[in-house]
Amino acid sequence: MKQFLVIALIVLVIVGGIALYLFDQEKATGPVVESPAVQAPPPIAQAPEPESEPEPETPPPFVVGDKATPGQTELDELPLPPLNESDDYVRENLESVVGEAATMQYFASEGLVTRIVATVDMLGSRQVPGNIQAIQGPGGSFAASEDPNPPTIITNEVGDPIPQYLSDPANTRRYVAYVEMLEAIDAGQFAALYRKNYPLFQQAWRELGYTRSDFDDRLVEVIDDLLATPSVEEPYRLIKPEAVYVFADEELESLSAGQKIMLRMGSDNAARVKSKLSEFREAL
């Protein structure tokens, strides 16, 4: 179960938008500045190889629901903790993979499973509230440069022109480490361990008020929505009518929260994420 972090937290949170930092959480102002270097999340520690032993016989498939996963053993049948007591279980597995310091730095201290489920659910909406985040977002500030000669003029409610900005390609570097983590995860392993821990996700889903549906269905729906993110010419145009950036194109601004995050991570990163999400979608 030491891979629970990799599967449950990193995968689902990345599915949940990589970092939960939407335009309405970006407070950068003024001219373009060089974004500070992003500290990459610590590498996943590899378990030491066991001493040479006679090769055991392949265990029979372990059936979870209607799915059989070869190679799982009775250890995987150990009972899960109750949802309201699962934080220690999750954090212990987390610390065994990335260490105590990294766990404290990157991850929320409580309600991890519930935060993951809420994040995934909100991706289909217009905004993901910051207070449900389970993992810290990328470092640095969002960078954009003011366009002194925009092709069209956009005005506010009193008719004054609104300044327009162009996104800085340097922003995409903030997401690379997260994308690389996602690509390192085996889709089959993801599906098997997700199934093992599914009762926790489903209970959290029910406690959000969805008593007549399954989290499985919502997860697949969100993945499909992310895969349907449109391609946009870069740099994309932004406005800042108040204290935060939004897309100047109303059609883009009306996209789901998840699709807008896919756009802002840059087309190259988005293509890599879509490729991995397709693997997860097939495995699920």
Side-chain angles (χ1 to χ4, degrees):
M1 299 308 299
K2 290 184 178 181
Q3 296 300 317
F4 181 71
L5 157 69
V6 180
I7 304 306
L9 291 180
I10 294 179
V11 173
L12 291 182
V13 173
I14 290 177
V15 167
I18 303 293
L20 303 184
Y21 275 31
L22 300 178
F23 286 122
D24 60 351
Q25 293 170 295
E26 297 289 4
K27 305 301 182 182
T29 60
V32 162
V33 295
E34 177 130 359
S35 298
V38 178
Q39 179 182 358
I44 298 171
Q46 299 295 322
E49 294 187 5
E51 296 181 5
S52 179
E53 294 180 359
E55 185 173 284
E57 295 183 3
T58 302
F62 172 60
V63 178
V64 184
D66 61 350
K67 301 180 183 296
T69 306
Q72 289 186 301
T73 69
E74 62 183 358
L75 293 178
D76 293 313
E77 299 182 48
L78 294 175
L80 296 173
L83 177 62
N84 62 357
E85 299 175 10
S86 64
D87 281 337
D88 287 343
Y89 162 75
V90 175
R91 292 186 70 83
E92 285 174 6
N93 286 279
L94 215 109
E95 290 174 4
S96 71
V97 176
V98 301
E100 182 178 359
T103 298
M104 293 178 63
Q105 177 181 355
Y106 287 101
F107 297 92
S109 59
E110 60 184 18
L112 288 167
V113 174
T114 299
R115 288 171 183 268
I116 292 167
V117 170
T119 296
V120 171
D121 182 37
M122 293 300 293
L123 286 173
S125 66
R126 294 286 300 277
Q127 180 176 328
V128 180
N131 62 357
I132 68 172
Q133 66 185 27
I135 188 172
Q136 295 299 319
S141 298
F142 183 82
S145 57
E146 186 169 356
D147 185 355
N149 298 300
T152 58
I153 302 298
I154 302 175
T155 59
N156 58 21
E157 62 275 5
V158 297
D160 296 328
I162 298 176
Q164 297 184 44
Y165 302 83
L166 296 174
S167 62
D168 188 333
N171 290 313
T172 63
R173 294 200 300 263
R174 303 163 67 211
Y175 296 92
V176 170
Y178 296 88
V179 175
E180 290 176 346
M181 274 198 298
L182 181 65
E183 290 178 326
I185 298 168
D186 178 78
Q189 186 182 46
F190 157 67
L193 294 180
Y194 169 69
R195 290 293 168 195
K196 161 62 184 173
N197 292 279
Y198 183 72
L200 292 176
F201 294 112
Q202 180 63 11
Q203 183 181 346
W205 179 247
R206 293 293 173 88
E207 292 187 3
L208 287 179
Y210 299 106
T211 58
R212 298 184 179 181
S213 61
D214 294 327
F215 179 65
D216 253 348
D217 295 333
R218 182 56 171 165
L219 177 60
V220 171
E221 181 181 15
V222 166
I223 290 176
D224 287 343
D225 183 63
L226 295 176
L227 291 174
T229 302
S231 298
V232 176
E233 184 178 354
E234 298 170 3
Y236 42 80
R237 192 169 299 280
L238 306 166
I239 59 174
K240 202 174 185 181
E242 297 179 355
V244 295
Y245 291 110
V246 298
F247 283 105
D249 186 324
E250 292 183 357
E251 289 188 9
L252 296 182
E253 185 57 30
S254 68
L255 296 176
S256 68
Q259 289 186 338
K260 285 190 285 188
I261 298 175
M262 290 285 283
L263 290 180
R264 67 185 307 226
M265 73 174 65
S267 57
D268 290 344
N269 285 333
R272 293 165 66 183
V273 170
K274 284 184 177 183
S275 177
K276 201 64 184 182
L277 290 181
S278 294
E279 293 182 26
F280 293 148
R281 176 67 169 82
E282 184 176 354
L284 287 172

